[in-house]
Each structure stands twice: as structure tokens, then as C-alpha cells.
Amino acid sequence: MSRKIFFLASILFLSAAAANAQTGREIMEWLDAANEPDTSHALVEMNILEADGSVKERVIEEWSALDTTGRKHRVIVFHTPASVRDTRFLVKENEDRDDDQWIYLPALRKVRRISASEGGDSFMGTEFSYDDLKSREIDDYTYTRLGDGEALGYACWIVESLPKAGTESQYSRVLRWITRDREIMRTLRMELFGEDEEIEKIFTVEKLEIVDSYWTPLSVLMKNMRTGRGTRLVQQRIELDKPVNPRRFTTRYLETGRTE
């Protein structure tokens, strides 16, 4: 199966990698090969931070699991407020092609597939785009180690990712701060550049702790540097490596909200 990286570091659970990788490509391969739980289930507080300082609070629930081929699937359900309650979103990873994404909007009472042309659009009014919620083929990018830095108090490698010719990406390049500690091996910061080579968004891990032996981001922030808006995700409750019904990762579950 081809190797993939998950763009959104808030939903990766990576650990145990060597700290002596020399090149950007080697560092990304360590990141890609690191362990993650087979399943996760989390209750998450989502805060949409407006430029004027106001906050819109939401509560979501998320399940993820690897299938028998090692591909990750993820479903998100919105619980509050009433305006978005029962909105459900599904991502299914594929080998050698783009992930599939569907969304169920209660007002329309139908499941709609997210098209490739919508990849750069905002996901439910947040600063995360639909593309931010997809995995990426590691071979679709070139990587350069730019040096060393620090994030969240951890020593990090700084790695630049550039899309190869023919790779569709809403970002012209991405800088990642990746922990050098062999027991952690996490992406703690990303600077995402637009086509004009200006920083469009900055992603940061604000809180990192061990949960069930996995180093896990408990609070993350995506800040839009153009608009001043941000989206913060805070884990309220999380379970790792517990059974998850595979029927959750179906369009039928999106339609009904039921796994039976």
C-alpha cells in the first residue's frame, strides 16, 4: 500500500521514531511510519474565533478507525448548537487517489459528496478546508530540511514541503515543525503559504499529553492570517484503541445516524 501523510496534525497520533534523520524526506518518512492507534473516539469542543473577538461554540463527536487494509476512515457528528446539530461528515482514505468525502446536512435531508473543486472551501465555517481534512500521498511532495527550531517548548526539525508538478494543492508550500524527540515525533506547528507566497494560515498544537501511551494533541488552533479568524479544537474526552463499529463509516450512517 502506498504511503500517506495526514495533513491535519490534530488528528494524527504518532510516536516512537528515530531522532537522527538527516534529510527532509527521511524525517517525513519517520513521521509517516510512526505508530498510531487503530481507533479513536473523541468528544471535542470547537470554538470559532471571530476577528472581532467573539466566539461561536460548537460540540462535535469524532470516530476514526483503520480498515483491514490499513486505510483510515473518519466520521464527525455535530451536536451543538441547534443550527448545525446532526450534521455528519465522512472521510474515507483511498490508495493512490484522493480521499472520498461526504456530508449530510439535516436541512436538505440528503448526503452530498464533496467534489475535488470544493477542496479549498471552508469546512462548516471553520478555518479548516475540506482539503485540510484529507490525507496526502507522501510521494506527491518534495521535502527539504531547513534547519532546527522550537515549538511548544520542544526541539524541532523544520521541514518544507512543496507540491510536485501535477499535484493539486491549495498551498504553494508548507513549513512543519516536527519534534526531534524519538518518544514523541509530532508535528507541532505548520505555516501554510498561499499562491502569492504569503502565509495564509498557521496551525499550532497548544497542548500535548500522553493518552493511553500515545502522545496526543489535546488543544490545537488554526489561525487565518488574512482574516484574523481562528478555529480551536479542544479534546474533552478521548478513547484510543477501543472498538468502533465499522458501520459508522458509511453513507447510510450519515443519512440515519444509526449503526444497526
Side-chain angles (χ1 to χ4, degrees):
M1 187 178 72
S2 63
R3 290 173 293 187
K4 288 196 173 189
I5 54 174
F6 278 86
F7 188 80
L8 239 193
S10 62
I11 10 215
L12 286 175
F13 300 89
L14 303 174
S15 62
N20 296 317
Q22 298 300 306
T23 70
R25 171 72 188 207
E26 288 172 332
I27 293 167
M28 294 304 295
E29 287 178 349
W30 287 119
L31 194 62
D32 179 57
N35 292 330
E36 61 176 295
D38 288 342
T39 67
S40 68
H41 174 209
L43 190 69
V44 181
E45 178 183 317
M46 172 187 283
N47 292 323
I48 297 177
L49 314 175
E50 300 292 351
D52 63 6
S54 61
V55 180
K56 296 177 181 177
E57 298 181 353
R58 296 177 174 179
V59 174
I60 64 175
E61 192 168 10
E62 179 180 350
W63 293 264
S64 71
L66 301 178
D67 67 13
T68 56
T69 67
R71 300 183 186 120
K72 176 169 279 189
H73 305 320
R74 183 166 68 254
V75 67
I76 297 171
V77 177
F78 285 77
H79 291 314
T80 65
S83 59
V84 295
R85 183 182 297 139
D86 291 332
T87 299
R88 293 183 278 270
F89 177 70
L90 172 64
V91 184
K92 301 190 75 170
E93 183 184 353
N94 296 305
E95 185 177 3
D96 298 328
R97 64 183 178 87
D98 222 9
D99 294 355
D100 292 318
Q101 296 179 320
W102 297 268
I103 193 166
Y104 172 80
L105 300 173
L108 301 178
R109 296 184 179 180
K110 61 184 292 187
V111 174
R112 184 174 68 84
R113 181 188 288 269
I114 303 300
S115 67
S117 62
E118 297 174 277
D121 293 351
S122 166
F123 169 65
M124 294 294 293
T126 71
E127 295 314 306
F128 294 99
S129 69
Y130 287 104
D131 278 350
D132 289 340
L133 304 181
K134 291 181 179 179
S135 61
R136 288 287 181 268
E137 293 283 355
I138 195 170
D139 290 333
D140 286 346
Y141 296 80
T142 60
Y143 307 98
T144 303
R145 177 181 170 183
L146 300 184
D148 299 323
E150 183 179 296
L152 201 64
Y154 295 92
C156 295
W157 291 297
I158 302 175
V159 177
E160 177 187 62
S161 302
L162 298 176
K164 293 181 180 179
T167 297
E168 293 186 6
S169 174
Q170 71 180 102
Y171 307 115
S172 61
R173 65 182 180 127
V174 175
L175 300 185
R176 287 179 173 84
W177 277 249
I178 301 169
T179 56
R180 294 173 58 94
D181 190 326
R182 68 178 66 224
E183 298 299 326
I184 303 174
M185 199 60 186
R186 301 287 296 134
T187 299
L188 297 182
R189 177 183 173 92
M190 291 191 290
E191 294 183 355
L192 314 171
F193 291 76
E195 293 301 324
D196 58 3
E197 294 300 322
E198 296 293 327
I199 296 179
E200 183 172 321
K201 294 187 281 191
I202 295 178
F203 173 87
T204 54
V205 174
E206 299 177 315
K207 186 177 181 181
L208 186 72
E209 293 184 0
I210 295 176
V211 178
D212 295 335
S213 79
Y214 298 97
W215 283 93
T216 305
L218 298 181
S219 178
V220 303
L221 174 67
M222 180 72 91
K223 182 69 178 292
N224 190 314
M225 305 308 292
R226 302 187 193 275
T227 66
R229 298 178 79 245
T231 301
R232 175 174 284 120
L233 303 174
V234 181
Q235 306 273 12
Q236 298 297 314
R237 185 176 70 242
I238 185 167
E239 297 177 327
L240 306 178
D241 286 333
K242 300 292 178 63
V244 175
N245 192 324
R247 292 190 179 93
R248 286 197 188 276
F249 309 109
T250 63
T251 56
R252 177 169 177 78
Y253 173 76
L254 295 190
E255 291 173 343
T256 66
R258 297 191 300 270
T259 57
E260 63 270 12

